[in-house]
Amino acid sequence: MSAEENPAAEPAPVIDVQGDGRWMSQHNRFVQECKDAEPDVLFVGDSMVQLMQQYEVWRELFSPLHALNFGIGGDTTCNVLWRLQNGELENIRPRVVVLWVGTNNHEHTADQVAGGILAIAQLVMTHLPKSKIIVLGLLPRGEFPNPLREKNAAVNNLLRASLPRLGPVQFIDMGGSFVHSDGTISSRDMFDFLHLTASAYRTISTTLHELLLQMWEEMPQERRASLV
Amino acid sequence: MSEDSNPAATPTPCQDIQGDGRWMSLHNRFVSDSKGKEPDVLFVGDSLVQLLHEFEVWRKLFSPLHALNFGVGGDATQHVLWRLMNGELDHISPKVVVLWVGTNNHGHTPGQICGGIMAIINVVHQKLPRAHTLVLGLLPRGKSPNPLRERNASVNAVVQAEVVSLSHVSFLDMDPGFIHSDGSIAHQDMYDYLHLTPQAYQRVCQPLHERIKSLLDKHAP
């Protein structure tokens, strides 16, 4: 599916309907952070990414890895695509980009969402040819089985099949532990049946952190100059 | 302003547009929570209430006061009103109800938003005649000066004036000075220029904790 056919792969900023310009303020801040910081890991995505930074586990596990967090609540693949095309990949050379987006693409089909995520991965590969990419699977949501769980699972299946073909991209699905045998998700894991609690973030962060350390081992130590 | 003509004061459940029924799941959980627990303090409102529960400050300052948290992200006054009229107050008798809502009332005037808050206060008073309602002021939002800051400040002024004569209600300004001299709000305080960071919650919750404790102390046994 080409970008012309896939609305989920069309870059689009968030229009300020509420009146306080918060989305653009956050984007501008991230662009500035790219000028000031030298992250080894860049997290980019929606509120699943953004909220992570507010919990203690970020400071413990990811700050020491020189991680930057470019998550914005509510973002779709279109919004993330726009942000990355408009400055959020400039002046930085992270070893790894962690991408977590797609659960807010309510207007799009699973095929389209997967295509949008692929488009973002391809954009990152073009812009940062030496970086590895980790794409996190969309988590299940809602207290009980519902169409959005099916949709997110379908997106994950499409990604699982297509992402490794791109090369430096890994797909990690961490949603398995959240659905109980009776089909429910607990508010102890997702306080609103969408966003993760501190303990749930700790669970997934441990896995992600181990993977990052592993990738550090596998990547040759490059002097900063050679990355530019 | 009658409830009929004020959308902010017309009880309205949230429609499940996305398809996973989360709003109703949360409401149902709050109703069933209210059957099993005996809170002395009930927090009700939007995401600023809901997120508070996820940080250490809740466990340190509010759990010891036997507090329950009925916050739902995105809620405006009309949603909170519906929830409170449809079971969330039916089986509990908290001494203090902490109400923090209004910032999501997009498209409503300060007068309408105040009307919504007053409607909530009235429902609380009807269902819990011995409870004291503590209304929290809306915080400024956005990185730079903008119309929503003005709207929220107006809401606070109108609400404060309305409740001054009510013995069962009081108002607490929650802004410790988030706006810097250049008019900006720092992302260290509001990570998205709306929601509070854990350290900002620490700052605003100290005076809140003190006020709740003093209200609990004054409450007739």
Side-chain angles (χ1 to χ4, degrees), chain B residues 149-172:
Chain B
R149 282 197 199 172
E150 292 157 36
R151 183 204 67 177
N152 284 3
S154 297
V155 171
N156 291 346
V158 180
V159 169
Q160 218 165 340
E162 283 267 345
V163 306
V164 73
S165 54
L166 302 173
S167 59
H168 60 281
V169 189
S170 47
F171 178 89
L172 179 63

Side-chain angles (χ1 to χ4, degrees), chain A residues 129-192:
Chain A
K130 298 197 178 189
S131 301
K132 300 265 189 260
I133 301 170
I134 298 173
V135 174
L136 300 184
L138 305 187
L139 295 182
R141 49 186 287 173
E143 189 182 10
F144 305 108
N146 66 81
L148 289 188
R149 283 202 201 167
E150 291 158 35
K151 182 183 168 191
N152 283 3
V155 172
N156 290 345
N157 287 335
L158 290 163
L159 293 176
R160 194 172 287 116
S162 58
L163 282 174
R165 285 188 229 137
L166 293 183
V169 188
Q170 274 192 59
F171 174 73
I172 312 291
D173 181 5
M174 293 185 292
S177 57
F178 294 117
V179 180
H180 293 236
S181 52
D182 64 356
T184 62
I185 287 177
S186 165
S187 57
R188 285 192 226 289
D189 290 323
M190 296 185 186
F191 61 85
D192 61 354

Side-chain angles (χ1 to χ4, degrees), chain A residues 18-20 22 25-26 29 50-51 54-55 106 141-144 146-148 187 191-194 197, chain B residues 18-20 22 25-26 29 50-51 54-55 106 141-143 146-148 187 191-194 197-198:
Chain A
Q18 295 180 354
D20 52 10
R22 295 183 305 106
S25 295
Q26 292 171 79
R29 184 173 94 229
Q50 186 169 40
L51 206 48
Q54 301 310 313
Y55 289 119
H106 296 297
R141 49 186 287 173
E143 189 182 10
F144 305 108
N146 66 81
L148 289 188
S187 57
F191 61 85
D192 61 354
F193 307 110
L194 172 62
T197 58
Chain B
Q18 296 178 356
D20 55 8
R22 296 182 305 106
S25 290
L26 285 170
R29 191 176 92 231
Q50 186 173 40
L51 266 179
E54 301 309 311
F55 297 127
H106 297 295
R141 49 186 287 172
K143 178 164 192 251
N146 66 83
L148 290 186
H187 70 273
Y191 58 87
D192 62 355
Y193 310 108
L194 173 61
T197 60

